Amino acid sequence: MLRPEVVKQLECPSVGLATSWAIGRKSIPCESLQAVRADFSRKYWPFPKGAIAKSNSKSNSLREQGNAAYKQAPNDPDRTLQLYNQSICMAEEGSKELGLGYANRSAIYFNRKQYRECLQNIDLARRHNYPEELMNKLNDREKRSKQILEGSSDTPAEDRAESRHCSIKSCLELTDDGKGIRTKRDLKVGEKVLLEKPFLLVVEPEWAYQRCDYCGARKALNLLPCSGCTAVMYCSVECREQSYQRYHQFECEIVDDLQLLFRGPKATRMFHVTLRLFWHAVLLYLEDPKGFGKRIKDADEQVGYRDPFALEPADYVLHLLAACPEEKPRPGDPSSLTGTCVSQLMSVLMYVLAVEENMSVANRLQGTTSQEMLLTVMFRFTHHTGRLMDEKMDEQMTCFYPFARLLRHSCAPNAERVMHGVQTVVVLKRPVSQGQEITVANDEKMTIERASKAKREEIRNKYEAVQLPPCDCEGCKADYPELAALEVDEHLAQELKMIQTEPDDLVKQQALLDFIQRHANVYPKRELADAWKLYRPFVTKDL
């Protein structure tokens, strides 16, 4: 095991500690998680438990930094708003510093001609002890904002708010093996079969004061603080309440410990999303301690929780347990053995810091026999983190999409995931027949558009200790060539060139879809890929 002073210096201390433990065991997993817990000593984790308390003096300092930043760069106010947001988070409840932070923020929105946001912050300033002697300035700003808005016909931001539900084509269903999604009817090119916002997400630390911790919305940095900690903000009271109900009631006390626990490259935040999934399991356990064990058993036996299409969101965690069974490491596969070891120690470390040392959880579990069961849940989610979470779609967040994650990879995919804000949109790039599986490319480098079959296999096995079985997707089974190796089809190229000259975007959009649909029987063709590239920008225009 690494010495504590070494762990402190690591870029990613938690994974480094878990990896050193696995090396010390020569990649031989423990027989049980209880044995790992017994072997783990708190001294191995060198960071003392602590929390950054709210502080009016720090709030004042951050607000002054924001003032200086605005004077230095008035045409780039985002840095100023970020500092004001940090000041608001740091201000003590009931203090005038909180009101001053909102008032300063209202001035930025007024100067940016965002008058609704300006008025919202003026109202917040008044409700949070803004000094009476400064009220004239605030009243004047409010009066001018209302006068400007009275002459404006802009739609209020609230009326433009995006819906938060997951929209799925009714014809979709789980494949027989439970690991993919197929259609029950024929579908055409361009059909959007899935529009899904994250069920859970974690915002990157450097964006914590610019995006909502619950839904990921940016909302022009017009965010509300948590009253208990200094590390998260929300775009609305609703998001703040939802966050608290689903996970922040457990994280608020330990939010600064979690920042150390999940310090490291962006991929490390996948473990934080895993922890937020785990909180859903804890909520189910607290709701019915006796029945929770039976529900896990039902999930393990594939009774009732196998099909996410038939479940309420509260039960997604049970579906994941059904999809992430307890697996023994593959004999003779060093990466499998090491991976199991790392997951074991990582799970115990997360459990100790987030549950055992967290009074908001430990007190509610006191007197129960929950440890073994919950530790097992933690391990199963942690061990399968890589296949559950999505850290590549958005550089500012790591997300969990319950349905999009079920789409299997293909080197010749018939669909594509396109991001629209935080929403992932799955749109068909080729016709899909009844009973056919819908597939996407998990990595653009692993497609016939970008690499040969030999190159794709090389990429797949680059970091594997044991050779993986050959890819069995449509493109590899049919041995499709790399598109660059195909000759130009003059007839198709000429037809596509004519479509490109169309000045009307709506006409061009439909012509591109018709082109791909009509010539789908000659796939793969370079011209079909080119047509899709031309159509792609239209995907999110009508959302």
Side-chain angles (χ1 to χ4, degrees):
M1 190 77 77
L2 290 174
R3 297 191 309 277
E5 59 270 23
V6 176
V7 175
K8 270 189 174 183
Q9 301 302 317
L10 294 176
E11 179 189 12
C12 186
S14 56
V15 176
L17 182 65
T19 303
S20 73
W21 184 79
I23 293 170
R25 290 189 55 83
K26 298 181 180 178
S27 294
I28 301 173
C30 274
E31 288 297 317
S32 71
L33 291 167
Q34 296 298 317
V36 182
R37 177 65 191 93
D39 189 48
F40 178 78
S41 171
R42 181 61 171 80
K43 67 182 181 184
Y44 297 149
W45 184 248
F47 304 99
K49 181 175 172 57
I52 299 174
K54 289 182 180 286
S55 163
N56 286 336
S57 61
K58 291 180 180 177
S59 175
N60 275 326
S61 174
L62 286 162
R63 193 173 65 255
E64 288 169 4
Q65 290 176 48
N67 295 341
Y70 189 65
K71 288 178 181 176
Q72 186 177 0
N75 295 323
D76 184 20
D78 278 9
R79 174 58 181 160
T80 301
L81 285 171
Q82 183 179 358
L83 286 163
Y84 285 163
N85 282 351
Q86 288 179 265
S87 171
I88 289 167
C89 281
M90 193 60 70
E92 298 170 27
E93 282 295 299
S95 68
K96 69 176 182 180
E97 281 72 18
L98 196 51
L100 287 166
Y102 287 126
N104 281 30
R105 207 165 65 176
S106 75
I108 299 296
Y109 289 124
F110 183 85
N111 292 336
R112 293 177 74 172
K113 298 181 171 54
Q114 293 175 277
Y115 302 112
R116 298 183 198 284
E117 288 80 0
C118 173
L119 291 172
Q120 290 167 5
N121 279 272
I122 289 172
D123 180 58
L124 287 167
R126 284 204 184 101
R127 289 193 280 118
H128 290 89
N129 299 310
Y130 185 72
E132 190 65 36
E133 63 269 21
L134 300 176
M135 199 63 75
N136 286 341
K137 184 189 295 186
L138 210 61
N139 291 339
D140 180 62
R141 190 178 300 145
E142 179 183 48
K143 181 180 178 180
R144 287 190 288 161
S145 295
K146 286 181 176 179
Q147 287 174 342
I148 293 169
L149 282 175
E150 283 173 4
S152 168
S153 60
D154 287 349
T155 305
E158 290 85 355
D159 294 344
R160 296 195 300 265
E162 297 179 16
S163 62
R164 296 188 179 181
H165 65 280
C166 174
S167 178
I168 309 172
K169 283 275 188 183
S170 59
C171 62
L172 300 188
E173 64 179 2
L174 208 61
T175 53
D176 290 338
D177 65 1
K179 297 179 180 179
I181 295 177
R182 67 188 177 197
T183 175
K184 294 183 282 187
R185 66 171 175 83
D186 293 347
L187 296 171
K188 293 183 178 180
V189 176
E191 288 199 58
K192 300 176 183 71
V193 295
L194 173 64
L195 290 83
E196 185 176 23
K197 291 188 177 179
F199 181 67
L200 286 169
L201 60 83
V202 168
V203 177
E204 285 295 285
E206 59 267 32
W207 295 95
Y209 301 102
Q210 300 185 54
R211 303 197 74 152
C212 176
D213 189 67
Y214 180 72
C215 74
R218 186 170 163 85
K219 204 185 176 185
L221 282 74
N222 189 22
L223 305 173
L224 300 172
C226 168
S227 61
C229 71
T230 63
V232 297
M233 300 194 81
Y234 302 98
C235 68
S236 65
V237 172
E238 179 190 357
C239 275
R240 185 163 60 186
E241 290 174 349
Q242 286 291 320
S243 165
Y244 192 82
Q245 289 173 19
R246 291 174 65 176
Y247 58 84
H248 198 64
Q249 60 175 302
F250 303 123
E251 294 188 0
C252 191
E253 176 189 326
I254 59 167
V255 68
D256 298 300
D257 300 319
L258 296 182
Q259 288 185 352
L260 287 168
L261 179 62
F262 302 119
R263 188 177 80 190
K266 186 174 185 292
T268 315
R269 252 67 73 203
M270 290 194 292
F271 292 111
H272 194 170
V273 185
T274 295
L275 180 63
R276 290 187 172 175
L277 274 177
F278 173 77
W279 296 135
H280 281 68
V282 171
L283 288 169
L284 289 176
Y285 176 82
L286 292 171
E287 181 183 292
D288 182 10
K290 292 183 179 178
F292 184 68
K294 182 182 183 304
R295 297 180 81 178
I296 288 183
K297 184 178 179 183
D298 288 346
D300 286 341
E301 294 175 355
Q302 303 286 311
V303 178
Y305 301 111
R306 178 178 176 273
D307 186 357
F309 290 92
L311 296 178
E312 292 296 321
D315 288 331
Y316 286 165
V317 67
L318 295 165
H319 161 69
L320 292 177
L321 288 172
C324 301
E326 290 192 68
E327 297 176 345
K328 292 192 177 295
R330 298 184 295 274
D333 184 346
S335 62
S336 175
L337 293 165
T338 302
T340 300
C341 272
V342 170
S343 296
Q344 284 184 337
L345 198 283
M346 192 73 187
S347 302
V348 167
L349 177 60
M350 290 166 64
Y351 190 86
V352 169
L353 298 179
V355 178
E356 293 182 7
E357 295 187 0
N358 184 354
M359 291 302 101
S360 63
V361 184
N363 288 341
R364 296 168 71 177
L365 295 176
Q366 194 170 6
T368 69
T369 56
S370 59
Q371 187 192 70
E372 182 176 357
M373 189 186 308
L374 291 177
L375 191 50
T376 298
V377 171
M378 179 79 86
F379 170 76
R380 287 166 68 171
F381 287 161
T382 301
H383 194 50
H384 293 277
T385 290
R387 51 181 283 223
L388 296 179
M389 307 310 163
D390 194 330
E391 55 94 15
K392 295 179 180 178
M393 297 299 288
D394 191 312
E395 65 179 15
Q396 298 175 13
M397 297 180 297
T398 300
C399 305
F400 168 60
Y401 296 96
F403 292 95
R405 75 165 194 88
L406 290 169
L407 295 167
R408 264 192 284 231
H409 168 81
S410 173
C411 300
N414 52 34
E416 183 171 323
R417 285 180 67 183
V418 178
M419 294 305 295
H420 179 60
V422 297
Q423 186 179 52
T424 186
V425 181
V426 179
V427 58
L428 299 185
K429 56 193 294 186
R430 289 194 281 143
V432 179
S433 303
Q434 178 181 351
Q436 187 178 353
E437 187 171 346
I438 294 170
T439 57
V440 294
N442 291 338
D443 185 339
E444 287 299 322
K445 297 191 293 291
M446 297 279 290
T447 63
I448 63 171
E449 294 182 25
R450 302 283 287 275
S452 65
K453 184 176 181 180
K455 182 64 177 177
R456 297 196 303 269
E457 284 299 318
E458 180 185 327
I459 296 171
R460 283 182 75 234
N461 286 284
K462 186 174 182 179
Y463 299 108
E464 298 295 332
V466 176
Q467 186 84 3
L468 294 173
C471 178
D472 64 349
C473 75
E474 173 193 348
C476 292
K477 281 182 176 177
D479 203 16
Y480 289 155
E482 182 181 359
L483 290 188
L486 294 174
E487 293 183 3
V488 173
D489 187 311
E490 294 295 345
H491 173 71
L492 293 183
Q494 188 61 34
E495 185 178 347
L496 184 57
K497 188 175 181 179
M498 289 293 294
I499 293 173
Q500 287 179 265
T501 63
E502 172 58 52
D504 188 310
D505 276 353
L506 287 177
V507 175
K508 181 188 291 185
Q509 181 179 348
Q510 190 56 53
L512 289 167
L513 291 177
D514 291 343
F515 176 84
I516 300 170
Q517 184 82 26
R518 281 186 291 106
H519 298 298
N521 61 319
V522 296
Y523 180 88
K525 287 282 187 177
R526 293 168 64 173
E527 293 73 23
L528 293 176
D530 291 340
W532 176 255
K533 288 175 186 175
L534 292 169
Y535 175 76
R536 189 187 288 121
F538 294 111
V539 169
T540 58
K541 280 196 173 181
D542 58 347
L543 293 176

